[in-house]
Amino acid sequence: MNDSSRPQAGRREWAGLAVLILPTLLLSIDMSVLHLAVPALTEDLRPTGAQLLWISDIYGFLIAGFLITMGTLGDRIGRRRLLVIGGVAFAAASVLAAYATTPLLLILARALLGVAGATLMPSTLSLISNMFLDPAQRTKAIGLWMTGFTGGMIVGPLVGGLLLEWFWWGAVFLLNVPVMVVLLVAGPLLLPEYRAPGAGRVDLVSVVLSLGAVLPTIYGVKEFAAYGLSWPPVLAVVAGLVLAVSFVRRQRLLADPLLDVSLFANRQFSVCLAALMLVTLLGPGLSLLTGQYLQLSEGLSPLSAGMWMVPMTAAVIVGFAITPRLAARFRPVGVIAGGLAVAVLGVGVLAQVEATGGLAYVVAGQSLFFAGTAPLAVLGIDMVVGAAPPERSGSAAALSETGQEFSAALGLAVLGSLSAVVYRTSFTSPGGLDGAAIGAARETFGGAFAVAAGQPAEVAAAVLTSARAAFADGLAAAAIASVVMLVAAAALVIAGLRHLPPLGSRATVAAESSEPTSS
């Protein structure tokens, strides 16, 4: 039963949700298609290795860096207005990227895409909180919104492959333009405007401090994941943390802060954000490891490995779809904790993967893991945004997205490093290899395959057997660590959210405190 004290969303709001899903779908597509275009654009533009890394990474860095600023800016100038401005900028930057004639111009276009993309996620999520005031309807809307994002991850490689089959590499960027045109036409017709009443100016010093806190920290963590521990990323992370402390102190002193740190005093907000960050640590790292397993241990092509991930995506979409129904009948703590128990079962299955023949374990384990984390994803984001007062929901949405960006990067570093240490420890060197070859084979799973390619058949088989067994040990270690983090997330949820009744019998904290102001 819906909360009868809250206005019910009608056809216009649900049609508006379809419009809000478009940029979310586009962002997830955009994250995946560039990897397909890299060979063609490399041949055309001939970037250096460093330039190619910046082409790939700068988009994600700037999205993460500008999320907090853009979320707060939307609260102040109007969320629909910011969404439209971001849509125009995203379309223009997409055209610039498509027709870039030099690597530097493409890097600039990708940077602009990142800044524009940072306007889209918090704007769409905070507008959902304004349009769907009934808690049960809002949960359903967020589930559909997240389904759109996940669907883009499936559609992206397929659409990108088709475009690259018939057109030049720039076509993957031009795909953004017609979607943004639909947003720009339909958005003003179907989406309400909302801005925080009496909001002051954006504090530019806080903007600089937030960028200085987020960008070096994300950069350093990504460098840990890619290249291991070294002084430059350590210094970057330390600098980011120092600036983060300065940022928080400044927010406490400002009458109208960029980020309202008092949100963390709300137990619902803090618990959900912490649990989301814990679980977001796991997904990217496990996906990276299982992707390597399917291609190197099972010998699947990238396309075949991707197709075997379809059941996982289908499972998470089903999880998104059924979560609102479960949350309407049962307490959120039970729905989330029950889902996390399923996720624990999934990573437990992954821990059973052996050197070869583990395809079924990987598919089943990943599907259970992602289906089990779906309730936390839907209800956690719903409660993070719902716990904030309406004038701060954009800031809350941005903080949620920033936290998950950071956790995803940190998860790659943590699980990747753990599996690498176990791999190097477990790898047993066969006879017939010199010291350099042994070192290369022990360093990485891919390195073992490169070494084996230059060896006699018997030696090569021994190298690959040892490497596959060692990698399976590393995957099992990452799975066991994931069980610990999932149990910690479940304990946090049980301790912090057990007082909340089912969605059908409650209103959110924000709904109880104030109403949104339209303009």
Side-chain angles (χ1 to χ4, degrees):
M1 178 184 300
N2 292 329
D3 178 9
S4 59
S5 67
R6 311 306 301 165
Q8 298 294 295
R11 291 182 179 179
R12 180 180 178 183
E13 286 78 14
W14 291 108
L17 176 64
V19 175
L20 292 177
I21 288 174
L22 285 177
T24 306
L25 180 70
L26 189 62
L27 282 176
S28 62
I29 291 175
D30 218 52
M31 289 176 180
S32 58
V33 295
L34 179 68
H35 299 296
L36 296 174
V38 163
L41 71 85
T42 300
E43 183 178 353
D44 186 19
L45 301 181
R46 300 197 178 280
T48 64
Q51 287 173 332
L52 187 59
L53 284 175
W54 278 112
I55 289 170
S56 299
D57 290 343
I58 196 167
Y59 175 74
F61 284 158
L62 291 184
I63 282 184
F66 276 94
L67 276 169
I68 291 175
T69 298
M70 294 304 181
T72 303
L73 185 62
D75 290 340
R76 302 194 180 189
I77 70 170
R79 292 163 188 169
R80 186 182 68 190
R81 182 181 180 187
L82 182 65
L83 181 64
V84 170
I85 292 171
V88 171
F90 202 89
S94 297
V95 174
L96 181 62
Y99 293 101
T101 55
T102 66
L104 290 178
L105 188 57
L106 183 55
I107 291 171
L108 173 62
R110 291 279 292 168
L112 294 174
L113 280 169
V115 176
T119 69
L120 303 178
M121 294 291 279
S123 295
T124 56
L125 193 51
S126 57
L127 279 170
I128 287 174
S129 73
N130 298 139
M131 294 160 60
F132 298 91
L133 301 179
D134 176 74
Q137 285 191 323
R138 187 180 62 242
T139 302
K140 183 178 180 180
I142 289 176
L144 292 171
W145 178 79
M146 297 190 68
T147 299
F149 187 84
T150 306
M153 299 173 71
I154 303 174
V155 173
L158 300 176
V159 172
L162 288 173
L163 288 174
L164 292 169
E165 185 73 22
W166 294 100
F167 303 101
W168 91 115
W169 58 266
V172 300
F173 295 107
L174 290 182
L175 174 66
N176 301 335
V177 176
V179 176
M180 285 303 169
V181 169
V182 174
L183 172 67
L184 297 177
V185 172
L189 298 175
L190 296 172
L191 302 176
E193 181 58 288
Y194 178 91
R195 66 175 61 90
R201 294 182 177 180
V202 173
D203 179 52
L204 295 181
V205 175
S206 294
V207 171
V208 173
L209 286 173
S210 71
L211 290 173
V214 174
L215 291 177
T217 304
I218 293 287
Y219 167 78
V221 169
K222 283 181 176 287
E223 288 294 296
F224 290 153
Y227 306 111
L229 194 64
S230 62
W231 278 113
V234 169
L235 294 176
V237 171
V238 170
L241 294 177
V242 169
L243 290 173
V245 172
S246 299
F247 173 78
V248 171
R249 286 180 174 175
R250 183 172 180 84
Q251 303 317 293
R252 292 184 181 277
L253 298 174
L254 293 174
D256 197 7
L258 184 70
L259 178 66
D260 185 3
V261 294
S262 66
L263 287 172
F264 289 98
N266 183 298
R267 182 170 62 173
Q268 176 179 312
F269 179 90
S270 298
V271 167
C272 289
L273 185 61
L276 282 167
M277 291 181 66
L278 269 174
V279 173
T280 308
L281 278 169
L282 309 179
L286 290 176
S287 294
L288 175 67
L289 294 174
T290 54
Q292 287 182 277
Y293 179 87
L294 292 178
Q295 293 183 57
L296 297 179
S297 290
E298 294 297 303
L300 300 180
S301 68
L303 178 60
S304 297
M307 293 300 292
W308 277 111
M309 290 294 101
V310 170
M312 171 199 77
T313 310
V316 75
I317 289 175
V318 170
F320 290 155
I322 66 173
T323 293
R325 293 179 178 274
L326 294 174
R329 297 186 59 188
F330 305 104
R331 289 177 179 268
V333 65
V335 178
I336 295 173
L340 292 178
V342 173
V344 167
L345 177 62
V347 290
V349 171
L350 287 178
Q352 308 307 311
V353 170
E354 297 184 351
T356 57
L359 175 60
Y361 287 99
V362 168
V363 173
Q366 284 283 79
S367 297
L368 289 170
F369 168 75
F370 281 101
T373 56
L376 174 62
V378 174
L379 297 176
I381 291 175
D382 179 23
M383 286 189 281
V384 164
V385 177
E391 65 273 11
R392 292 292 185 183
S393 64
S395 178
L399 191 58
S400 171
E401 296 296 331
T402 303
Q404 290 180 76
E405 286 278 344
F406 175 76
S407 291
L410 183 61
L412 284 171
V414 171
L415 294 186
S417 298
L418 174 62
S419 65
V421 168
V422 173
Y423 171 82
R424 287 192 290 268
T425 303
S426 299
F427 181 83
T428 303
S429 174
L433 295 178
D434 59 30
I438 292 172
R442 178 174 281 122
E443 185 65 24
T444 65
F445 195 23
F449 276 76
V451 169
Q455 303 298 324
E458 185 176 341
V459 175
V463 169
L464 296 182
T465 297
S466 178
R468 286 177 173 130
F471 188 80
D473 290 342
L475 177 57
I480 292 169
S482 298
V483 168
V484 174
M485 284 186 270
L486 286 169
V487 170
L492 188 63
V493 167
I494 292 170
L497 302 180
R498 64 180 182 273
H499 64 290
L500 295 178
L503 290 180
S505 60
R506 70 178 176 92
T508 61
V509 171
E512 292 172 349
S513 61
S514 58
E515 296 285 351
T517 301
S518 297
S519 61

